[in-house]
Every structure is written in C-alpha cells, then in structure tokens.
C-alpha cells in the first residue's frame, strides 16, 4: 500500500465539513476511439478513488475546463500508442484533500490548486505536487488561464513578435483562448481585429478592447479585410482552420506571421482536418516573405510556470478579463456535474460560448473555500 501522510490537523483526511473521502467516484473514460465525443466517452459511476503516492496530491475537482482538443484526445490523435480505456480532461481547479509525505512539504489539506494533466474529468484526480499551481482560492477564473491563457501568452510572445501599431487578427476571438489573444495584443499596443459569430460576441470583444469586430455570419470577412486593411495584417492568431485559414493566409501583410493554435472546424471530421488550398501555400508565403508557425503548448512547458505566474498577477491586478461560460444560456442550463461535460463539448462545437467553457462539479459537502 502506498503511504499517505496522516497529518494530525487533517483528521485522517476529513474534508472541511468532516465527511471522509469516499472510496468510489464518478469519472469520464475514453472507452472507444472516435471523433464523436459521446460515442468515445463513458461516464463511470464507481471508479475507485486513487491514493496519492509520496510526491502526490489528491485533488477534489471543483471546476474543470472544456477544450476543443478534448475531441482530438478522445479520437486518439495525440498518441497512437495509447489504447482505450484511458482518462480524459486536461485541466482542473479544486482543493487538496489528501497528500503524500514529500508533497506535504509544500502543500496542506484544504489548499486551493490548479493543474494541467490528463484525467481532470473526474471527481478526484491525482496530481504530482510539482505540477500543481497553488491558488489563493478556488475560482473558475483561474482555470481559464491554465491552457487557454497560457497558449495565447506563450504563442504570441514566442512567435508573434508584437509591437506597437502592428495589426493583429484573432479568429474565434470570443472563445476560450481568443479572449486572451485579444487582450494581450492590446496590451502590446497593437490594433486588434476579431472574428466572431454574433453581435453579442462582438459586444463582448469591444468590452475587452478589440478595435474592429467582424461577424462572419453577417459580414464577408474577406471583403471587410480587403477594404479596411488593404496592406494586410501583420499577425494572425488562428484556431478555426479550413476556409478561415485560407482567408487569413490571403490577408497577411508583407513579412506577416500566421500562428496556428488549432483548427476546430475539422476536429469532428473523420480525418480531423478541413481541406485548405495547400498547393498555393509555398507561392503565397514566398510572395510576401510570410510565415506559418504552429504552436502546441506541450512543447513550451519549460516556460509554462513563468507564463502562468505572469497571467495570474495580471488577473489579480485587474488587468485581465477571464470570461467564464458555464452554459447558463444553453438549452438545458448550467453545466453542472460530469454528465454535463457531453453537453458542454457540443455547446463549444456549436460556437455558442463567450469565453472559456467551464463545468462545475458540486459536492454534497459544501466547502468553506
């Protein structure tokens, strides 16, 4: 049996209200590889609650984040060697309810933490203490920074070469990561253009500093860009793919940079891709001395903690809006409980969200945090 430190003040890892950690829990598991999330993923009702090893924390999840790439993960696109069943969900915020001996050097029972690790779609998740991020409190806003905020910050810092007066186009600008790309580009004194799918989203984008919003449902994005930015845009933060990628590529200025952080339009297709006019890519890049760069957060983990600390300070100073969408406006209401993760994924792919989609995992015991 793995050792769990019995700390006198935790009373055998009782939580704050004095109810013990259960022996079983609910969690989501990928049981079949499919780009259809509902087909791929099963809600298991009675999985054993894992025990933390020496350097681990057992975190009771209170909020978990939905990411477009959840579908790529459940389709087996990230690591072909991993076979079902496997746990899913990339990020969570909650409190430490038990921990191993070494982990107790830096953490205590009841402490609020956030983490990025596969397996967050569960009531409890084991998190290595060195991967956890201590938080002042359990708030869903902190969750928005873990993957979405860090992706925007690091991709623009490493690949964007932003400076005052540059024109930056953000596609899906009102989404989980787009909201940060808009704000960070504005902090760099750039002129920011954001595409979105509704006037309500356009209003949100203006409220966080977007200079020019384009509703692609009612406006022709290509025509608007050609008319208003005849010299092109310097940087594109692109997460849509397909036709939007082609359009963004055509809109690049001389020496323009297109940063690909995703291509959500294709994720639900069998190949995970939407067709692009790739045969024209070399000629278009050459003609403009332009570049296309991909960004995948896992390749920048050496800078991750620095990025997150910077973003947390910005949020705490009031310099960053962290918009959370709990699905209150969705047909069946707020995303509450692991069973609502399926609805939350659908909601994202319908393009309904403003900000980061977060699911709340309520507990029968109300926490004092």
């Amino acid at each position: 049996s793995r050792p769990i430190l019995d700390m006198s003040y935790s009373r055998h890892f009782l939580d704050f209200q004095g109810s013990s950690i259960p022996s079983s829990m609910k969690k989501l598991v990928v049981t079949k590889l499919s780009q259809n999330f509902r087909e791929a993923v099963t809600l298991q009702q009675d999985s054993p609650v894992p025990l933390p090893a020496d350097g681990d924390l057992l975190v009771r999840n209170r909020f978990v984040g939905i990411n477009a790439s959840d579908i790529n993960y459940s389709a087996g696109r990230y690591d072909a060697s991993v076979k079902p069943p496997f746990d899913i969900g990339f990020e969570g915020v909650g409190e430490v309810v038990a921990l191993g001996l070494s982990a107790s050097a830096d953490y205590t029972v009841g402490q609020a933490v956030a983490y990025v690790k596969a397996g967050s779609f569960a009531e409890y998740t084991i998190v290595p203490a060195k991967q956890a991020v201590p938080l002042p409190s359990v708030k869903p806003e902190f969750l928005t920074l873990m993957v979405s905020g860090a992706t925007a910050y690091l991709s623009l810092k490493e690949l964007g070469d932003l400076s005052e007066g540059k024109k930056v186009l953000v596609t899906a600008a009102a989404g989980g990561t787009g909201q940060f790309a808009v704000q960070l580009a504005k902090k760099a004194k750039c002129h920011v253009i954001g595409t979105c799918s509704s006037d309500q989203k356009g209003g949100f984008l203006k409220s966080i500093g977007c200079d020019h919003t384009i509703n692609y449902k009612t406006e022709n994005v290509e025509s608007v860009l050609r008319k208003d930015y005849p010299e092109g845009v310097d940087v594109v933060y692109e997460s849509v793919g397909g036709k939007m990628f082609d359009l963004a590529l055509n809109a690049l200025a001389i020496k323009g940079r297109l940063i690909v952080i995703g291509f959500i339009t294709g994720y639900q297709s069998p190949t995970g891709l939407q067709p692009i006019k790739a045969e024209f890519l070399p000629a278009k890049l050459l003609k403009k001395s332009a570049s296309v760069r991909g960004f995948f957060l896992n390749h920048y983990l050496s800078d991750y903690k620095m990025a997150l600390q910077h973003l947390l300070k910005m949020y705490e100073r009031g310099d960053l809006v962290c918009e959370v969408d709990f699905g209150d406006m969705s047909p069946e209401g707020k995303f509450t409980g692991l069973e609502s993760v399926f609805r939350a994924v659908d909601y994202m792919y319908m393009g309904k969200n403003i900000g980061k989609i977060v699911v709340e995992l309520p507990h029968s015991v109300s926490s004092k945090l």
Side-chain angles (χ1 to χ4, degrees), residues 46-63:
D46 53 358
S47 296
V49 172
L51 294 179
D54 182 58
D56 291 340
L57 310 174
L58 179 64
V59 177
R60 183 171 68 178
N61 294 313
R62 293 271 302 284
F63 300 103

Side-chain angles (χ1 to χ4, degrees), residues 198-274:
S198 72
D199 292 341
Q200 186 189 5
K201 291 185 179 188
F204 164 69
L205 289 173
K206 290 198 170 102
S207 78
I208 59 170
C210 194
D211 297 290
H212 188 166
T213 63
I214 307 172
N215 180 345
Y216 65 82
K217 292 279 177 78
T218 58
E219 299 173 83
N220 183 308
V221 180
E222 197 163 12
S223 305
V224 172
L225 290 172
R226 202 179 291 128
K227 173 175 162 287
D228 294 345
Y229 305 96
E231 300 293 305
V233 296
D234 302 295
V235 179
V236 182
Y237 183 87
E238 216 297 273
S239 61
V240 176
K243 292 189 173 107
M244 188 63 84
F245 173 89
D246 289 329
L247 194 153
L249 182 69
N250 292 339
L252 283 177
I254 302 295
K255 298 183 184 174
R257 290 175 300 287
L258 194 157
I259 304 169
V260 176
I261 64 115
F263 34 93
I264 188 173
T265 50
Y267 292 173
Q268 290 181 298
S269 68
T271 61
L273 298 165
Q274 282 277 65

Side-chain angles (χ1 to χ4, degrees), residues 198 200-201 323-336 343-344 347-348 350-355 357-358:
S198 72
Q200 186 189 5
K201 291 185 179 188
E323 188 70 18
V324 173
D325 191 332
F326 278 118
D328 294 295
M329 307 310 289
S330 68
E332 293 170 61
K334 186 176 174 179
F335 302 133
T336 306
R343 283 200 300 121
Y347 181 75
M348 175 171 47
M350 288 188 286
K352 299 292 188 191
N353 58 300
I354 295 181
I357 301 176
V358 174

